[in-house]
Amino acid sequence: MEKRRKTEADDGEITLPEPIIQHIQSFLTGKEAAQTTILSKSWYSAWLTRPNLEFDQRDYWIRGFLHRYVFHESAKKTMKRYQELNLKIESFKLFMIDDFSVCNELIVNAIKMGAVDLCFETILSPFVLPHEVLESKTIQRLSVTGCRIDAKVAWSSLESLILCRVCIEGDIIWDIISNCPLIEKLVLSECKFLVKPSPYSFNSSSRMLALNHSLINLYEFRKLKCLFLEKVKISSLFFSNFSIRFPCMKDLTVCHCFGYKEIQIYSPSLECITFAHKRILRAKFDVPSIRKFKFSGSNVPSLSFEGASREWKSEISITWTRFSSSWFLKLNKLLGDLRRSKISLSLMIGCMSLESSRLPEDAGLPKAIVEKLIMVAAPASVCSALLDGLFWCFHPKCIYQLWMPKSSTKDNELLEFLCKTLIQEGSENCCIPNQNRLALHDLEGVSVEIVDESIPMFLPLPWKMLLDASASPDNSRIVRFTLQWGVDSSRLIQY
């Protein structure tokens, strides 16, 4: 064993220490790690004794047929070898399609061999987690998908818990919270109650997990740093006294949850906030340590930020099918609320209907700066009104577009319109900014670049190529318009 841990030469081969080889293999899937065994004897030996085990039944799905027996024999043989050599396991990952009796045996053996990081996933009927898992006092990280918890837990050493599509009986969720004093990361995604729990309410039609303000006592989750909630019912009061309930919280994600209308959060520790919301989101944040805010939804949110004293980033993604002057006014207000951040704006545009888009005069008002603007799929019929409204709202530094292949040239309509709008006719190698449109009178320079996937980096691109259908690429490519604004730049909102 000691010889393998030293760097030595054998028949011209320089052998890496076994722990380093196993560390490299830990970043690979089980199938990829197995393929490294052909490199040399040292890689094969390291793979045989690796502390990170991964079994995936999908790797045994060949030509539409699941070779269950081959999978079972291979997994059992590996576990038996570890037991005979008295080897320890640090992490254990298992993906099963069926045969939960074998699954139960593998998980229990992994726990007995010292696994502190357990990840299990199934896509069929819920698998009941064995009591050996629920009663483990050594597990530090647990991730389960498609399972069922039907007994009390005793995870006194647990630091990370991920529950996805998990059925939870009774008020076990309360036991999980009460018995995890060291937990730093909690993910609840599409979890369901099997019976109505007494401490909280739940939606009887969807049977989704519901959390209200009584769920979190002041003495709970003192070390929680990351909280992820997806498709969970929560009330507005859940966010009250946030800094007291979660004094160490750094990362908060709320995706497509329901039950709340407005949010007010004060937290001196929060650094990253993510919201995905279908309805209009109204939120006020007092977060002096904020580094990144992300939002995605179908409506323009109403946001307010206070106390953000250092540089931070905001990423806004909006999908909509109808716009009017009121929509642009809401967007203008949102960008103003985010003016102290570096803004990235992504607009996913479907089959749009055009309403009145008459906007008020600029009146010399300051415009927000958007560092990065991404637009996807805008019909040609609304391109002009769309760009007029957007340039009325803000000045983009960079506009990103996809240049589609020859077979999809119709999808290049917005790209071509951008080119004609931003650049006047001139030399093929010289981009002359178009200042004829009222919203572009401050535009002083435009450059066009394309991603070179082999490097990767942006390289200059003759802008007239974008107007030539015959020059379309074989695969979609990213094109970037870089805009330089001047003259009235003093009126722009700076960060």
Side-chain angles (χ1 to χ4, degrees), residues 280-464:
I280 296 178
L281 173 66
R282 296 180 176 88
K284 294 182 179 180
F285 301 100
D286 189 349
V287 283
S289 299
I290 186 71
R291 291 191 298 107
K292 178 181 286 188
F293 175 81
K294 296 177 66 176
F295 171 84
S296 61
S298 54
N299 290 282
V300 179
S302 176
L303 306 175
S304 173
F305 286 86
E306 298 179 4
S309 58
R310 62 179 182 179
E311 185 177 276
W312 56 289
K313 298 179 180 180
S314 58
E315 299 179 5
I316 308 297
S317 178
I318 302 175
T319 303
W320 92 100
T321 58
R322 183 175 62 255
F323 70 93
S324 62
S325 57
S326 62
W327 189 93
F328 287 110
L329 289 171
K330 292 178 181 178
L331 179 62
N332 185 52
K333 183 181 183 303
L334 169 65
L335 298 178
D337 294 332
L338 298 172
R339 64 185 179 276
R340 291 187 176 88
S341 70
K342 290 191 174 182
I343 306 171
S344 293
L345 177 62
S346 178
L347 303 176
M348 311 298 176
I349 309 165
C351 182
M352 298 175 60
S353 61
L354 178 62
E355 296 180 355
S356 172
S357 58
R358 184 179 179 84
L359 294 166
E361 294 296 328
D362 190 325
L365 296 176
K367 293 185 180 180
I369 299 174
V370 171
E371 302 285 330
K372 183 177 182 179
L373 171 63
I374 301 174
M375 292 184 290
V376 180
S381 59
V382 298
C383 283
S384 180
L386 170 64
L387 292 179
D388 279 345
L390 294 181
F391 290 139
W392 177 86
C393 290
F394 60 88
H395 279 172
K397 284 188 176 180
C398 294
I399 303 178
Y400 292 77
Q401 280 284 284
L402 275 180
W403 193 14
M404 302 303 292
K406 299 177 182 179
S407 58
S408 307
T409 52
K410 187 176 181 181
D411 295 329
N412 292 326
E413 289 179 344
L414 178 56
L415 180 64
E416 295 173 359
F417 191 85
L418 268 172
C419 199
K420 295 176 181 178
T421 301
L422 298 175
I423 305 171
Q424 289 182 335
E425 286 292 336
S427 171
E428 182 176 349
N429 298 319
C430 179
C431 292
I432 302 176
N434 186 352
Q435 297 179 331
N436 294 329
R437 302 172 75 96
L438 178 62
L440 298 178
H441 66 277
D442 295 343
L443 187 61
E444 286 193 340
V446 182
S447 62
V448 185
E449 299 166 301
I450 190 169
V451 170
D452 187 331
E453 298 174 347
S454 61
I455 302 179
M457 63 179 296
F458 281 96
L459 298 177
L461 175 72
W463 65 271
K464 287 190 175 180

Side-chain angles (χ1 to χ4, degrees), residues 2 70 81 138 213 221 233 260:
E2 286 297 319
V70 178
R81 185 180 72 252
T138 59
H213 65 287
F221 287 147
K233 183 178 180 180
Y260 62 93

Side-chain angles (χ1 to χ4, degrees), residues 126-392:
F127 167 74
V128 179
L129 282 180
H131 288 185
E132 287 83 354
V133 176
L134 303 180
E135 297 171 0
S136 173
K137 295 183 179 181
T138 59
I139 290 182
Q140 297 176 8
R141 293 169 293 278
L142 178 63
S143 175
V144 290
T145 301
C147 298
R148 176 173 169 176
I149 301 176
D150 63 354
K152 292 185 177 181
V153 303
W155 296 323
S156 57
S157 300
L158 196 67
E159 299 175 1
S160 174
L161 177 62
I162 300 175
L163 301 179
C164 181
R165 301 198 307 274
V166 172
C167 296
I168 305 173
E169 288 195 355
D171 58 358
I172 294 176
I173 186 68
W174 182 257
D175 295 320
I176 293 175
I177 294 171
S178 301
N179 295 324
C180 300
L182 302 180
I183 193 167
E184 295 183 356
K185 179 179 181 179
L186 175 62
V187 174
L188 300 177
S189 177
E190 301 184 64
C191 295
K192 298 182 181 181
F193 279 124
L194 297 181
V195 296
K196 183 177 180 179
S198 54
Y200 5 90
S201 62
F202 77 109
N203 187 293
S204 58
S205 60
S206 65
R207 301 181 68 82
M208 300 299 292
L209 179 64
L211 310 179
N212 61 22
H213 65 287
S214 64
L215 173 69
I216 308 298
N217 283 339
L218 299 183
Y219 58 85
E220 305 295 354
F221 287 147
R222 303 298 296 177
K223 294 189 176 182
L224 192 63
K225 296 180 180 179
C226 177
L227 177 61
F228 180 102
L229 301 176
E230 181 179 22
K231 296 183 179 179
V232 172
K233 183 178 180 180
I234 53 181
S235 70
S236 298
L237 292 176
F238 179 83
F239 300 99
S240 63
N241 296 321
F242 196 89
S243 62
I244 300 177
R245 301 176 191 273
F246 309 103
C248 298
M249 182 75 70
K250 292 183 178 296
D251 193 333
L252 173 66
T253 299
V254 180
C255 287
H256 304 298
C257 294
F258 53 96
Y260 62 93
K261 294 182 179 179
E262 294 188 2
I263 297 173
Q264 293 189 33
I265 294 180
Y266 165 69
S267 173
S269 61
L270 260 181
E271 296 180 358
C272 299
I273 305 174
T274 301
F275 273 86
H277 204 68
K278 291 183 179 180
R279 299 182 298 276
I280 296 178
L281 173 66
R282 296 180 176 88
K284 294 182 179 180
F285 301 100
D286 189 349
V287 283
S289 299
I290 186 71
R291 291 191 298 107
K292 178 181 286 188
F293 175 81
K294 296 177 66 176
F295 171 84
S296 61
S298 54
N299 290 282
V300 179
S302 176
L303 306 175
S304 173
F305 286 86
E306 298 179 4
S309 58
R310 62 179 182 179
E311 185 177 276
W312 56 289
K313 298 179 180 180
S314 58
E315 299 179 5
I316 308 297
S317 178
I318 302 175
T319 303
W320 92 100
T321 58
R322 183 175 62 255
F323 70 93
S324 62
S325 57
S326 62
W327 189 93
F328 287 110
L329 289 171
K330 292 178 181 178
L331 179 62
N332 185 52
K333 183 181 183 303
L334 169 65
L335 298 178
D337 294 332
L338 298 172
R339 64 185 179 276
R340 291 187 176 88
S341 70
K342 290 191 174 182
I343 306 171
S344 293
L345 177 62
S346 178
L347 303 176
M348 311 298 176
I349 309 165
C351 182
M352 298 175 60
S353 61
L354 178 62
E355 296 180 355
S356 172
S357 58
R358 184 179 179 84
L359 294 166
E361 294 296 328
D362 190 325
L365 296 176
K367 293 185 180 180
I369 299 174
V370 171
E371 302 285 330
K372 183 177 182 179
L373 171 63
I374 301 174
M375 292 184 290
V376 180
S381 59
V382 298
C383 283
S384 180
L386 170 64
L387 292 179
D388 279 345
L390 294 181
F391 290 139
W392 177 86

